[in-house]
Amino acid sequence: NSLVEAVGGMFARAHVHVLYEALELAQTALVKPGTCERMIEAIVEMLRPESYNTEHLHLDIATDPTMYSLSGAAPPLEAVLLAASNPQAAFRKQSASARLIAALIRSKDMPRVLVRPEVVGALVEQGVVLGLLVAMSNTEHPESCKHAIDALAVLLRASPPAAAHLSRLAGSAWMQNFKADPAGSAYGLDRAVLVRLLSGTGNVEQLRF
């Protein structure tokens, strides 16, 4: 709907004051019954821009970079990024979506709509935890990585279901390490490392749209 589309368009802008207004609109969308569901979907979608679509990638090759030369394939997770029509706008949306999650959990001035069990449950069901991992692995846009680390850290503190989902996706040991040291655990997490991490738990197929 138009409200959610407006938030998405504003998230693509670089100006701080525009972003602040977008955060206010997003909060409004989350508290309105007619727009809450679509806003939740949009938050997750913006965390995973089209440049991360792995539908046509050889994920078995992505887990083993030495196979690139054997297969003749270009590094798949790099090639798909270059195919994005406007990656910087998509990355700004990705960063802003992560920032929105952290802001709505933390804010003392806004109604804490994001920590309502039904809202968190819907976000987790839609794939917000994986979306934040994808944003954390975006080495081409440091703001996405920074805000995703922060958002996932506060989300885990606010939501046991989110923590359980991260444990299933990345493994219990990685989840516990992240809770203890978010920045340290995320250090070096690029797309190839993320694919290998998810492969280790049998969840790499979830990267497909």
Side-chain angles (χ1 to χ4, degrees), residues 99-198:
R99 186 173 176 176
L100 168 66
I101 292 168
L104 289 180
I105 292 175
R106 277 204 179 99
S107 179
K108 297 179 180 178
D109 299 323
M110 299 178 184
R112 292 163 61 85
V113 294
L114 204 55
V115 296
R116 293 202 316 243
E118 64 271 22
V119 175
V120 170
L123 277 167
V124 172
E125 185 176 337
Q126 287 292 327
V128 71
V129 175
L130 179 58
L132 289 170
L133 287 174
V134 168
M136 283 167 53
S137 72
N138 186 355
T139 55
E140 282 76 17
H141 197 253
E143 289 294 300
S144 287
C145 181
K146 178 180 74 174
H147 289 303
I149 292 171
D150 182 45
L152 186 57
V154 297
L155 182 61
L156 295 184
R157 291 195 294 270
S159 168
H165 192 67
L166 178 60
S167 181
R168 289 192 296 271
L169 281 174
S172 178
W174 196 91
M175 186 271 292
Q176 293 294 344
N177 288 338
F178 181 83
K179 290 179 72 173
D181 181 12
S185 298
Y187 180 78
L189 183 68
D190 59 15
R191 290 182 300 280
V193 172
L194 177 60
V195 168
R196 291 196 292 272
L197 182 65
L198 297 179

Side-chain angles (χ1 to χ4, degrees), residues 21 25 45 63 82 95 116 119 164 177 186:
E21 293 297 328
L25 280 179
E45 288 169 3
T63 61
L82 298 177
S95 174
R116 293 202 316 243
V119 175
N177 288 338

Side-chain angles (χ1 to χ4, degrees), residues 60-85:
D60 55 333
I61 296 174
T63 61
D64 183 0
T66 63
M67 295 179 66
Y68 293 155
S69 59
L70 298 178
S71 68
L77 292 172
E78 304 300 328
V80 74
L81 176 68
L82 298 177
S85 59

